Amino acid sequence: MKIFLLVISVLLLIFRIKETPKHVSKSVYIRSVEKSVADYVGVIENQTEKENATMKVFSTIICIVIDLFYVWYYWYIGSKFQPLLALSVIQIVTVIISFVFAAKQGLYSTDVNTYKFRRWYLLFNVLIDYIYYPMAIYLLMTM
């Protein structure tokens, strides 16, 4: 289990490093959203209404499963390593807040303006991740 958690922690740290520019720069964030919306519009133009509805259901289920995995991961790490308990609770809260933000703005909006750049929330999340993942990797490697 430690190896699995270590691999997941390293992957999450790599993804955090890769996504950091998008979360600290509004212009990079807007370009990323515009590209994602353009890709989504390109996909839904070639689908029937039934295919589009099916895709929305499956992608919503996948998003929920991923968020549940994050909650489980943070809970499990926090329960195994007391130094990370408070940070794990913060991480779980940020996952829930992210889910609420996504649900409110609409996961399938084709309007770029519905995707708000929440500077302080994203910056807080980046900082917490840069503290959490290296600590989790260190604790997993030493214990």
Side-chain angles (χ1 to χ4, degrees):
M1 187 64 149
K2 274 189 179 181
I3 293 174
F4 174 73
L5 291 172
L6 187 60
V7 168
I8 294 298
S9 298
V10 169
L11 288 174
L12 289 173
L13 179 61
I14 290 169
F15 290 142
R16 168 47 65 203
I17 292 168
K18 181 181 170 204
E19 294 292 317
T20 296
K22 184 171 78 172
H23 291 158
V24 296
S25 171
K26 187 173 184 176
S27 61
V28 175
Y29 178 82
I30 290 171
R31 279 193 305 254
S32 172
V33 168
E34 288 171 345
K35 182 182 180 307
S36 295
V37 168
D39 291 346
Y40 176 63
V41 168
V43 168
I44 63 173
E45 286 176 346
N46 299 327
Q47 292 181 337
T48 65
E49 189 67 33
K50 184 177 180 180
E51 291 172 334
N52 191 17
T54 304
M55 181 191 72
K56 286 181 180 180
V57 168
F58 282 122
S59 59
T60 301
I61 290 170
I62 289 170
C63 288
I64 291 170
V65 168
I66 289 171
D67 284 348
L68 288 174
F69 175 77
Y70 277 136
V71 168
W72 171 84
Y73 167 80
Y74 294 132
W75 172 80
Y76 190 81
I77 293 284
S79 67
K80 292 294 180 188
F81 304 111
Q82 286 299 317
L84 287 176
L85 183 59
L87 286 174
S88 291
V89 170
I90 293 170
Q91 288 284 41
I92 291 170
V93 170
T94 61
V95 168
I96 293 168
I97 290 171
S98 295
F99 183 78
V100 170
F101 284 160
K104 281 185 179 179
Q105 73 188 13
L107 293 173
Y108 308 105
S109 175
T110 56
D111 181 16
V112 175
N113 296 323
T114 59
Y115 299 96
K116 296 179 183 175
F117 180 70
R118 293 175 167 87
R119 178 179 313 276
W120 296 110
Y121 172 75
L122 293 173
L123 183 61
F124 174 76
N125 205 357
V126 166
L127 292 174
I128 291 295
D129 287 350
Y130 275 121
I131 295 168
Y132 189 87
Y133 296 133
M135 283 181 68
I137 292 167
Y138 172 76
L139 290 171
L140 285 165
M141 289 175 53
T142 60
M143 293 187 174

